[in-house]
Amino acid sequence: KITQVEETKSQKQKTLFAYVGANLKGPVSDLAQTYEEETGVKIELNFNNSGALLNQLDTMKKGDIYMPGGVSFVNKAKDKGHIENIGGIVAFHTPVMITPKGNPANISSIQDLTKSGVKLVIPDKEATAIGKTTYKIFSKLNLTNEIEKNILANVETPAKVMVAITMEQGNVGIVEYSNTFKDKEKIDVVEIDPEVNEIEEIPVAILKYSTDKEEASAFMDYILEEGSAVFEKHGFKTKK
């Protein structure tokens, strides 16, 4: 038998729905869990690459929070009329190159990606924030066409790039700095020259479809206040 207190509690439980970039799964899951424990508000998380999330928004036109992997996707969502309010930047996506252990192709710079015999695996430029950023770096160096000849595969997420390189399906990949944390012993990380690297901001925004904007705003503030420490714990950089 449900007591009156429990019944009132279940009636009162609020739920927020958030669209979150696949690469942000670790830190945002932690933040959602602690927020739920502290406030009783349930956070439903929908993870996918940023492009797929935007397509879902176009179709569903509902939800409370949008947190893709980069600002360009929030700006697109804003242009389409989905965004109520952009709250700010939580952390940064910092591209790095990864190679199988021992760096057999001897990769030390972006310029090396043009060398004969290089097999490059990257996140898809249309679907992922990090893929878009990767192409900005190639373009800055006027190397897009030369590097494209060496692309072995475009995959849906940086996590899939990690899998490919750890299995030696390709001799270099580009991922986000945090992706390298779990499998450090299986790969070598090659930093990209800061002069040419493009560091992407990770934003959080409230959707205009939110039926409880006050609660959505409270959760967004929580992410902005508590997010840095949690993102750092998961290997993200929180300073440029």
Side-chain angles (χ1 to χ4, degrees), residues 143-204:
L143 292 175
T144 307
N145 291 342
E146 283 180 77
I147 292 172
E148 276 190 321
K149 290 173 192 159
N150 285 338
I151 294 176
L152 178 69
N154 294 282
V155 295
E156 298 98 321
T157 60
K160 289 191 177 178
V161 177
M162 283 294 297
V163 170
I165 299 304
T166 54
M167 293 174 74
E168 299 189 22
Q169 296 165 343
N171 47 29
V172 60
I174 295 179
V175 295
E176 206 285 314
Y177 180 69
S178 64
N179 293 116
T180 66
F181 259 51
K182 282 191 190 125
D183 290 308
K184 269 214 163 111
E185 69 290 344
K186 295 181 189 169
I187 52 156
D188 284 353
V189 176
V190 181
E191 300 262 349
I192 296 169
D193 179 356
E195 292 293 310
V196 301
N197 207 1
E198 288 276 337
I199 294 168
E200 180 72 85
E201 297 169 328
I202 300 169
V204 56

Side-chain angles (χ1 to χ4, degrees), residues 2 36 42 66 80 100 102 110 112-113 119 131 139 145 159 223 238:
I2 297 173
E36 192 172 329
K42 185 167 178 53
Y66 182 47
K80 291 177 168 201
I110 290 288
D112 289 341
L113 302 181
K119 298 186 184 82
S139 176
N145 291 342
I223 292 171
T238 55

Side-chain angles (χ1 to χ4, degrees), residues 79-117:
D79 291 343
K80 291 177 168 201
H82 299 314
I83 303 294
E84 174 84 13
N85 173 24
I86 301 170
I89 303 307
V90 187
F92 297 95
H93 265 147
T94 309
V96 292
M97 293 184 287
I98 55 165
T99 71
K101 204 74 188 157
N103 193 355
N106 199 19
I107 303 290
S108 63
S109 69
I110 290 288
Q111 286 83 349
D112 289 341
L113 302 181
T114 64
K115 291 193 303 192
S116 174

